[in-house]
């Protein structure tokens, strides 16, 4: 199966071998008076026969254009347009000898002030620059009447739509997608690009904007975002779209969902409901509005492994969403809107699992074999509220609040057998439990910030306030019966029949005041070496109340008695104050048409004050303590752009913080049902100090006219905890498998995480594109401790390599092939246990074949091999297939699905811990066949009148 990748990579180039012979046309544009190059002029090549568009391009910083894929032996003409200049029209035919037509140096002229324009050349230009904004004209793309925005974006040079729906322009990711300057039903890219029809779009704008969400946190990067705004036509600013579907399959599998979304100039409203028992998560809650999209073609694959959840799940959901804009502004940076959301979700999951865990103790191998069955029923109701107000003149306001009620019931039965060296039975545990809980939580947060337009006149007005509050209460009940049979000690059988009743309440409130005009306030007109100064004050108040009632009984017919050890009350009150003084200095330089760079350094001088008071019915848990420490931080930003070449962004952030040990680490309450892992607290534990470091590096190609684009993103996180809380693990001498963990401070604990995202895309021609993605990641941690009195350091290293290639023959065929290799290795120094390792290989292949515009065939194969630490390798193949037929003008869809054709679906979870390796195999959804009918109601714009068709090609208009 893994050979499939190599075969596919060999075959993909052969799919495009029969391309027509093509060449290129090139030239350079200059101003006729001042003789300087004209950047970002629009150059479009048309066929003379029917005025259809052949290719198009924008000139680079030197005014050059070099348009490829020009057909030979064809009469052509090009139209060059640039704001403020007369259009330039040139007829030509490709030189069949050199296959290149060089138009040379072309001069564009401005109209005279007193000149009456007699001839106007109007043409549908696909691309043009409007100031700093790139505008795409949908009318230039001849597509099917059912085409959506994504179909058009696939045909724009430099713009790549990846297999997961992510969009990049010249290698740079589009972070925000708006419709008329507003988030469209939550802001998910696919909701807009896969639902809005091309013929409803006036233009698409690509531009940079400030990342407003980061303006309130001085420790986070404040670079700009690359955004896209879809501007609707005047008569299409209201519409309705959605999906209604139902399916039934073998073994009583079913699915049903309905989504209706409506919008106008000021409002967006949607409703989503659904139910299924096929482990489908894509259509739940808010995701229903993103995933149940129309899609004129199925580039976003149905397949992959799919439905890979543990157990069998039935899910019922409902969601309501409403957004109201108090103004009709289509500026994404200035807005005044209210968003509300309600979600209901009920899940019922049945899980059966078998586990195998291995530990090395005193040169002996201890093996734990467990079986577990559980049924979980969870219901939640969530209400969300958000108000945003950002005006050009006035403070910025953002306020969020949400309330959640959650109720759950669960029951489980578990058994664990422990053996020594695979031959000596040491103990057996059986337990059954039932629990229920009900919780209510309320959270609110927001920020207020002064307007940066006003700050130009008086920087002393520059401030921001972050604030928030949280409340949570939980009532839970649990009953458990736990029986231990020990074959190595004097007590052969011991049963604990126990009930728990717990009630808890938690409160939290915080506020951060940032004043950025501190330098001007202190020094007035003196610039202090152009070093900006800001004053920060942070306050946090919290209170946690817990009331636990525990009862036991000695026999099935005996009454329950209060367990005085576990029954307790506990209240923890905390207060923290964090003042800070920030210094920041930046440098920048630019040469027009060549390069630009910006460099910034910041230092955060912060002090941390913290007090805690714990009140408990257990005497030794009544403590008062206070703590203070100097916790500085620093950050650096670097942004570099070389015109017509590349773009680099780099960010570094480092910080320190201190954490007091919790009351349960100092004086834990030990529950005797924890048979094998008893934790002993340590009242002498000291506060730990953590040093964080985060680094990111992003490079992408910035060559507008290139057929190929690339990008690379690197992220590194490093944590070092001094005086960390570690373990001294002691195993019982009777080999029963019991262990005791004594908490203590160790010199350090360290963790390192790194990930890299490499992507490359190439437009072979108008129809054929290929893209490659490689994502390696690394995670490592080092945790010193003790095992049976001997110092032992656990070192864990996990590596993942994810490679994917996607070939797309637009509207005809696409295939995606990927490979994931994941390795996890754990080594225990000064231990008799050998280094343990687990490794998994996953090969994926997804194929979509569009037989015609109505019929699509889809198949996906997922082949996985798991090499666990203590068992033979396990391999399985998940093969899914779909046939999709659309009719009734593409509004109705009939889909035949086949899941797990080979009946091999299973869920394998391998883990390596501090001193153990384990494998758990749980049940999963297996083979079924299903037929689904869906209807997509779609209406954009009002009235029955039709706009006249857009002009095709250039048009000569005489102006009197």
């Amino acid at each position: 199966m893994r050979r499939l990748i190599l075969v596919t990579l060999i075959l993909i180039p052969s799919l495009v071998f029969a391309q027509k012979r093509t060449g290129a046309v090139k030239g350079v544009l200059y101003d006729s008076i001042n003789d300087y190059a004209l950047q970002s002029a629009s150059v479009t090549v048309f066929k003379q026969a029917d005025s259809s568009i052949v290719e198009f391009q924008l000139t680079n910083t030197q005014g050059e254009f070099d348009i490829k894929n020009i057909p030979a032996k064809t009469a052509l003409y090009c139209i060059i347009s640039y704001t403020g200049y007369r259009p330039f029209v040139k007829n030509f035919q490709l030189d069949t000898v050199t296959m290149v037509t060089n138009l040379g140096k072309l001069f564009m002229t401005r109209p005279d002030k007193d000149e009456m324009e007699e001839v106007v050349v109007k043409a549908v230009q696909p691309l043009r620059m409007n100031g700093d904004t790139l505008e795409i004209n949908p009318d230039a793309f001849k597509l099917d009447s059912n085409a959506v925005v994504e179909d058009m974006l696939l045909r724009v040079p430099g713009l790549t739509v990846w297999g997961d729906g992510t969009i990049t322009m010249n290698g740079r990711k589009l972070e925000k997608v708006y419709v008329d300057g507003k988030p469209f039903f939550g802001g998910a890219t696919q909701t807009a690009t896969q639902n809005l029809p091309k013929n409803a779009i006036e233009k698409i704008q690509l531009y940079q904007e400030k990342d407003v969400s980061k303006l309130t946190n001085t420790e986070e990067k404040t670079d700009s975002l690359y955004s896209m705004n879809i501007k609707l036509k005047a008569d299409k600013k209201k519409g309705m779209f959605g999906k209604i579907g139902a399916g039934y399959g073998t073994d009583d599998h079913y699915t049903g969902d309905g989504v209706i979304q409506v919008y106008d100039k000021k409002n967006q409203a949607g409703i989503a409901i659904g139910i299924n028992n096929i482990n489908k998560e894509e259509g739940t809650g808010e995701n229903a509005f993103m995933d149940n999209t129309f899609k004129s073609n199925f580039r976003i694959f149905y397949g992959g492994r799919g439905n890979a959840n543990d157990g069998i799940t039935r899910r019922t959901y409902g969601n309501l969403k409403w957004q109201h804009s108090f103004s009709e502004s289509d500026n994404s940076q200035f807005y005044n809107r209210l968003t509300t959301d309600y979600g209901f979700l009920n899940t019922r999951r049945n899980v059966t699992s078998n586990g195998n865990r291995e530990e090395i103790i005193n040169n002996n191998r201890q093996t734990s074999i467990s079986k577990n069955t559980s049924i979980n029923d969870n219901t939640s109701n969530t209400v969300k509220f958000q108000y945003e107000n950002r005006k050009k003149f006035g403070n910025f306001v953002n306020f969020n609040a949400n309330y959640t009620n959650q109720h759950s019931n669960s029951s489980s039965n578990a058994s664990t057998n422990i053996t020594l060296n695979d031959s000596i039975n040491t103990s057996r545990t059986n337990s059954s439990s039932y629990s229920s809980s009900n919780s209510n939580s309320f959270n609110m947060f927001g920020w207020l910030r002064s307007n940066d337009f006003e700050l130009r006149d008086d920087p002393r007005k520059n401030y921001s306030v972050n604030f928030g509050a949280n409340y949570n209460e939980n009532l839970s009940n649990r009953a458990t019966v736990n029986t231990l049979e020990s074959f190595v000690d004097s007590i052969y059988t011991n049963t604990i029949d126990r009930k728990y009743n717990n009630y808890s309440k938690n409160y939290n409130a915080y506020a951060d005041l940032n004043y950025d005009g501190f330098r001007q306030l202190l020094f007035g007109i003196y610039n202090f070496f152009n070093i900006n100064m800001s004053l920060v004050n942070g306050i946090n108040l919290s209170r946690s109340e817990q009331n636990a009632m525990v009862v036991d009984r000695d026999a099935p017919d005996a009454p329950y008695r209060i367990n005085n050890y576990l029954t307790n009350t506990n209240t923890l009150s905390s207060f923290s104050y964090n003042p800070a003084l920030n210094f920041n200095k930046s440098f920048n330089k630019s040469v027009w048409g060549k390069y630009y760079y910006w460099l910034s350094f910041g230092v955060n001088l912060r002090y941390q004050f913290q007090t805690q008071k714990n009140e408990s019915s257990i005497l030794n848990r009544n403590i008062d303590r206070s703590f203070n420490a100097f916790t500085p931080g620093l950050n650096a930003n670097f942004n570099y752009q070389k015109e017509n070449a590349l773009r680099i962004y780099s960010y570094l952030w480092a910080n320190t913080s201190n954490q007091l040990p919790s009351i349960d680490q100092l004086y834990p309450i030990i529950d005797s049902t924890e048979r094998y892992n008893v934790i002993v607290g340590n009242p002498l534990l000291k506060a730990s100090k953590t040093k964080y470091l985060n680094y990111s590096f992003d490079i992408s190609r910035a060559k507008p006219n290139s057929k190929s684009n690339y990008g690379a993103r690197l992220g590194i996180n490093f944590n070092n905890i001094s005086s960390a809380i570690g373990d001294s693990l002691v195993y019982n001498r009777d080999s029963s498998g019991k262990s005791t963990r004594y908490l203590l401070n160790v010199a350090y604990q360290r963790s390192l995480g790194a990930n890299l995202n490499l992507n490359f895309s190439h437009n072979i021609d108008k129809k054929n594109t290929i893209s490659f993605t490689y994502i390696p990641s690394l995670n490592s941690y080092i945790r010193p401790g003790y095992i049976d009195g001997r110092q032992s350091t656990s070192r864990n290293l996990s590596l993942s390599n994810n490679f994917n290639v996607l070939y797309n023959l637009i509207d005809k065929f696409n295939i995606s092939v990927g490979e994931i290799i994941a390795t996890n290795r754990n080594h225990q120094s000064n231990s008799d246990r050998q280094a343990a390792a687990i490794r998994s290989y996953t090969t994926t292949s997804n194929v979509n074949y569009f037989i015609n515009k109505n019929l699509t065939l889809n198949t996906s194969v997922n082949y996985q091999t798991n090499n666990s630490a203590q068992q033979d390798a396990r391999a399985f193949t998940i093969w899914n297939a779909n046939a999709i037929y659309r009719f009734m003008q593409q509004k109705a869809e009939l889909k035949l699905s086949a899941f797990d054709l080979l009946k091999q679906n299973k869920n394998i979870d391998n883990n390596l811990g501090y001193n153990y390796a384990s494998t758990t195999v749980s049940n999963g959804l297996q083979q079924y066949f299903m037929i689904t009918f869906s209807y997509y109601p779609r209406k954009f714009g009002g009235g029955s009148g039709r706009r006249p068709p857009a002009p095709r090609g250039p048009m000569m208009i005489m102006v009197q």
Side-chain angles (χ1 to χ4, degrees), residues 643-886:
E643 292 290 343
N644 203 36
L646 56 84
R647 180 188 297 107
I648 296 175
Y649 179 78
S650 182
Y651 176 71
L652 173 68
W653 174 68
N655 196 13
T656 58
S657 68
N658 290 270
Q659 182 65 47
L660 290 171
S662 69
I663 188 64
D664 289 320
Q665 291 173 325
L666 299 172
Y667 301 99
I669 300 174
I670 303 171
D671 193 328
S672 56
T673 57
E674 297 293 336
R675 301 286 194 175
Y676 297 106
N677 187 9
V678 178
I679 299 177
V680 177
N682 184 352
L684 301 178
L685 289 174
K686 297 183 296 184
S688 59
K689 184 175 183 178
T690 304
K691 297 179 181 177
Y692 307 90
L693 187 144
N694 176 275
Y695 174 74
S696 63
F697 178 85
D698 193 318
I699 182 172
S700 58
R701 192 171 195 178
K703 193 172 183 178
N705 297 328
S706 174
K707 293 289 185 180
S708 301
N709 288 286
Y710 61 78
R713 292 186 294 274
L714 171 67
I716 298 176
N717 293 281
F718 176 75
N719 292 345
N720 183 82
I721 307 175
S722 56
S723 296
I725 298 176
D727 296 329
S728 177
L729 184 64
V730 178
Y731 288 93
N732 285 21
R733 295 297 180 183
D734 56 13
S735 299
S736 63
K738 297 179 181 178
S739 64
T740 303
R741 292 182 181 270
Y742 296 89
L743 302 182
L744 73 165
N745 287 108
V746 295
Y748 66 89
Q749 289 180 356
R750 293 174 185 153
S751 65
L752 173 67
N755 60 83
L756 180 65
N757 188 316
L758 303 174
N759 57 77
F760 172 82
S761 64
H762 178 69
N763 294 331
I764 302 170
D765 56 26
K766 282 185 175 182
K767 291 287 187 178
N768 294 275
T769 64
I770 189 168
S771 60
F772 301 87
T773 304
Y774 174 54
I775 306 176
S777 63
L778 175 148
N779 287 281
S780 173
Y781 69 77
I782 302 175
R783 295 181 181 176
Y786 296 86
I787 296 179
D788 287 333
R790 293 191 300 171
Q791 186 174 3
S792 182
T793 300
S794 177
R795 302 174 185 271
N796 185 276
L797 177 67
S798 58
L799 295 169
S800 175
N801 292 275
N802 188 336
F803 177 81
N804 184 269
V805 56
L806 168 65
Y807 167 75
N808 186 27
L809 177 58
I810 298 178
D811 300 332
K812 296 293 183 181
F813 173 82
N814 56 59
I815 179 171
S816 172
V817 180
E819 178 76 8
I820 302 174
I821 302 174
T823 303
N824 191 349
R825 180 177 295 272
N826 184 274
H827 175 71
Q828 198 78 30
S829 65
N830 298 325
S831 171
D832 299 316
R833 185 169 75 90
Q834 299 295 319
I838 56 178
R839 179 172 294 175
S840 66
Y841 302 88
T842 304
T843 303
T844 60
S845 175
N846 298 274
V847 179
N848 286 315
Y849 177 52
F850 313 116
I851 296 178
N852 53 49
K853 71 176 184 178
N854 295 322
L855 181 60
T856 300
L857 300 181
N858 163 268
T859 186
S860 64
V861 177
N862 181 299
Y863 175 73
Q864 185 167 340
T865 303
N866 285 274
N867 296 310
S868 63
Q870 67 277 74
Q871 295 184 1
D872 295 334
R874 302 189 181 193
F876 55 89
T877 301
I878 311 300
W879 180 19
N880 304 328
N882 300 278
I884 306 109
Y885 177 70
R886 281 190 171 172

Side-chain angles (χ1 to χ4, degrees), residues 40-60:
S40 299
S42 177
V43 183
T44 308
V45 177
F46 299 86
K47 289 182 179 180
Q48 292 186 18
D50 58 3
S51 295
S52 61
I53 294 175
V54 177
E55 286 289 350
F56 51 90
Q57 198 175 93
L58 297 177
T59 59
N60 62 19

Side-chain angles (χ1 to χ4, degrees), residues 220-224 584-590 595-601 635-641 648-651:
E220 293 206 26
K221 56 184 177 181
T222 58
D223 61 315
S224 62
N584 182 274
K585 183 174 178 60
S586 60
F587 308 86
N588 64 81
K589 183 178 180 180
S590 64
Y595 69 87
Y596 163 84
Y597 78 80
W598 176 73
L599 179 63
S600 173
F601 296 97
N635 62 80
N637 290 266
F638 176 68
N639 193 344
Y640 173 80
Q641 180 170 334
I648 296 175
Y649 179 78
S650 182
Y651 176 71

Side-chain angles (χ1 to χ4, degrees), residues 3-71:
R3 296 176 181 173
L4 179 62
I5 290 182
L6 181 60
V7 172
T8 303
L9 294 177
I10 295 173
L11 290 179
I12 284 177
S14 67
L15 296 174
V16 293
F17 72 97
Q19 303 298 318
K20 294 181 180 179
R21 193 181 182 204
T22 59
V25 59
K26 61 183 181 180
V28 57
L29 294 184
Y30 275 81
D31 178 274
S32 62
I33 303 299
N34 300 305
D35 198 33
Y36 57 76
L38 297 179
Q39 177 186 1
S40 299
S42 177
V43 183
T44 308
V45 177
F46 299 86
K47 289 182 179 180
Q48 292 186 18
D50 58 3
S51 295
S52 61
I53 294 175
V54 177
E55 286 289 350
F56 51 90
Q57 198 175 93
L58 297 177
T59 59
N60 62 19
T61 54
Q62 286 75 43
E64 300 168 336
F65 62 90
D66 187 357
I67 305 179
K68 310 292 186 182
N69 299 320
I70 301 300

Side-chain angles (χ1 to χ4, degrees), residues 502-735:
N502 295 294
Y503 178 71
S504 65
K505 291 190 296 184
N506 298 281
Y507 314 83
N508 175 255
Y510 66 89
D512 294 308
L513 173 62
N514 305 296
Y515 180 59
D516 296 330
F518 197 52
R519 184 192 73 183
Q520 290 77 11
L521 185 66
L522 290 180
F523 299 100
I525 63 173
Y526 300 100
N527 60 22
F528 189 59
F529 307 103
N530 285 323
I531 299 176
N532 292 320
M533 300 172 60
S534 61
L535 189 64
V536 181
N537 284 277
I539 298 176
N540 191 302
L541 293 167
S542 64
R543 181 180 175 87
S544 175
E545 301 176 7
Q546 295 182 345
N547 189 334
M549 172 71 74
V550 183
V551 295
D552 295 328
R553 68 178 176 183
D554 299 326
D557 297 329
Y560 284 97
R561 297 177 292 104
I562 294 178
N563 184 315
N564 293 314
Y565 176 71
L566 296 178
T567 298
N568 72 95
T569 60
N570 195 90
T571 301
L572 175 64
S573 302
S574 299
F575 170 79
S576 66
Y577 173 55
N578 299 280
L581 184 62
N582 295 329
F583 297 89
N584 182 274
K585 183 174 178 60
S586 60
F587 308 86
N588 64 81
K589 183 178 180 180
S590 64
V591 176
W592 187 87
K594 292 186 177 181
Y595 69 87
Y596 163 84
Y597 78 80
W598 176 73
L599 179 63
S600 173
F601 296 97
V603 177
N604 180 21
L605 305 179
R606 181 174 56 193
Y607 213 84
Q608 178 183 3
F609 298 91
Q610 186 173 359
T611 62
Q612 285 188 352
K613 182 177 182 179
N614 199 83
E615 301 173 281
S616 176
S617 59
I618 300 176
L619 294 180
N620 64 356
R621 289 167 65 93
N622 287 277
I623 59 173
D624 291 331
R625 51 184 175 165
S626 60
F627 176 82
N628 60 83
F630 179 55
T631 57
L634 61 88
N635 62 80
N637 290 266
F638 176 68
N639 193 344
Y640 173 80
Q641 180 170 334
K642 185 176 181 180
E643 292 290 343
N644 203 36
L646 56 84
R647 180 188 297 107
I648 296 175
Y649 179 78
S650 182
Y651 176 71
L652 173 68
W653 174 68
N655 196 13
T656 58
S657 68
N658 290 270
Q659 182 65 47
L660 290 171
S662 69
I663 188 64
D664 289 320
Q665 291 173 325
L666 299 172
Y667 301 99
I669 300 174
I670 303 171
D671 193 328
S672 56
T673 57
E674 297 293 336
R675 301 286 194 175
Y676 297 106
N677 187 9
V678 178
I679 299 177
V680 177
N682 184 352
L684 301 178
L685 289 174
K686 297 183 296 184
S688 59
K689 184 175 183 178
T690 304
K691 297 179 181 177
Y692 307 90
L693 187 144
N694 176 275
Y695 174 74
S696 63
F697 178 85
D698 193 318
I699 182 172
S700 58
R701 192 171 195 178
K703 193 172 183 178
N705 297 328
S706 174
K707 293 289 185 180
S708 301
N709 288 286
Y710 61 78
R713 292 186 294 274
L714 171 67
I716 298 176
N717 293 281
F718 176 75
N719 292 345
N720 183 82
I721 307 175
S722 56
S723 296
I725 298 176
D727 296 329
S728 177
L729 184 64
V730 178
Y731 288 93
N732 285 21
R733 295 297 180 183
D734 56 13
S735 299

Side-chain angles (χ1 to χ4, degrees), residues 290-519:
M290 178 180 69
D291 295 306
N292 288 308
T293 56
F294 170 73
K295 305 185 195 73
S296 64
N297 63 65
F298 301 96
R299 295 184 65 259
I300 309 301
F301 304 108
Y302 277 108
R305 179 176 175 182
N307 308 85
N309 309 98
D310 293 342
I312 308 297
T313 303
R314 184 206 66 196
R315 181 174 282 103
T316 306
Y317 65 91
N319 189 259
L320 297 171
K321 185 181 290 290
W322 176 57
Q323 177 179 293
H324 176 72
S325 295
F326 295 95
S327 68
E328 295 184 13
S329 171
D330 58 1
N331 188 319
S332 62
Q333 285 291 281
F334 305 110
Y335 42 77
N336 184 12
R337 57 179 174 254
L338 173 69
T339 304
T340 59
D341 183 273
Y342 166 73
F344 166 83
L345 176 63
N346 172 262
T347 59
R348 181 179 176 85
R349 177 171 294 178
N350 189 326
V351 181
T352 301
S353 63
N354 295 279
N356 187 303
R357 173 176 168 137
E358 182 182 290
E359 298 173 84
I360 300 297
I361 305 172
N362 299 324
N363 296 319
N364 294 310
R365 183 172 68 253
Q366 177 179 283
T367 303
S368 304
I369 299 176
S370 61
K371 295 181 179 180
N372 184 288
T373 60
S374 64
I375 299 175
N376 300 280
D377 192 291
N378 186 290
T379 301
S380 64
N381 291 272
T382 302
V383 180
K384 296 181 180 179
F385 169 94
Q386 182 182 44
Y387 175 71
E388 304 168 280
N389 189 336
R390 187 170 191 255
K391 300 177 181 178
K392 190 171 184 178
F393 299 101
N395 293 332
F396 306 159
V397 179
N398 185 295
F399 179 78
N400 296 264
N402 62 76
Y403 166 77
T404 300
N405 170 262
Q406 186 164 310
H407 180 77
S408 63
N409 294 291
S410 65
S411 61
S412 66
N413 292 279
S415 64
T416 302
N417 292 274
I418 296 181
T419 60
L420 201 62
N421 298 325
D422 297 328
S423 60
I424 303 174
N425 292 325
T426 59
S427 64
R428 179 170 59 235
T429 301
N430 291 282
S431 64
S432 62
S433 66
Y434 171 80
S435 64
S436 66
S437 66
N438 188 77
S439 65
N440 294 281
S441 63
F442 174 79
N443 303 281
M444 57 84 67
F445 61 93
W447 53 268
L448 174 68
R449 181 178 173 83
S450 56
N451 190 297
D452 52 7
F453 275 82
E454 296 177 353
L455 305 181
R456 299 172 183 176
D457 299 326
D458 189 356
R460 292 174 298 176
K461 296 179 181 180
N462 191 352
Y463 72 91
S464 64
V465 180
N466 302 318
F467 57 89
N470 308 287
Y471 171 76
N472 176 269
E473 67 171 354
N474 180 272
L475 175 63
S476 64
N477 296 279
R478 183 165 65 95
T480 180
V481 177
N482 186 291
T483 301
L484 168 68
E485 296 179 82
S486 177
F487 308 121
V488 294
D489 59 22
S490 57
I491 303 177
Y492 180 73
T493 301
N494 174 248
T495 299
I496 298 175
D497 187 344
R498 182 167 291 168
K499 289 185 177 181
Y500 304 81
N501 184 291
N502 295 294
Y503 178 71
S504 65
K505 291 190 296 184
N506 298 281
Y507 314 83
N508 175 255
Y510 66 89
D512 294 308
L513 173 62
N514 305 296
Y515 180 59
D516 296 330
F518 197 52
R519 184 192 73 183

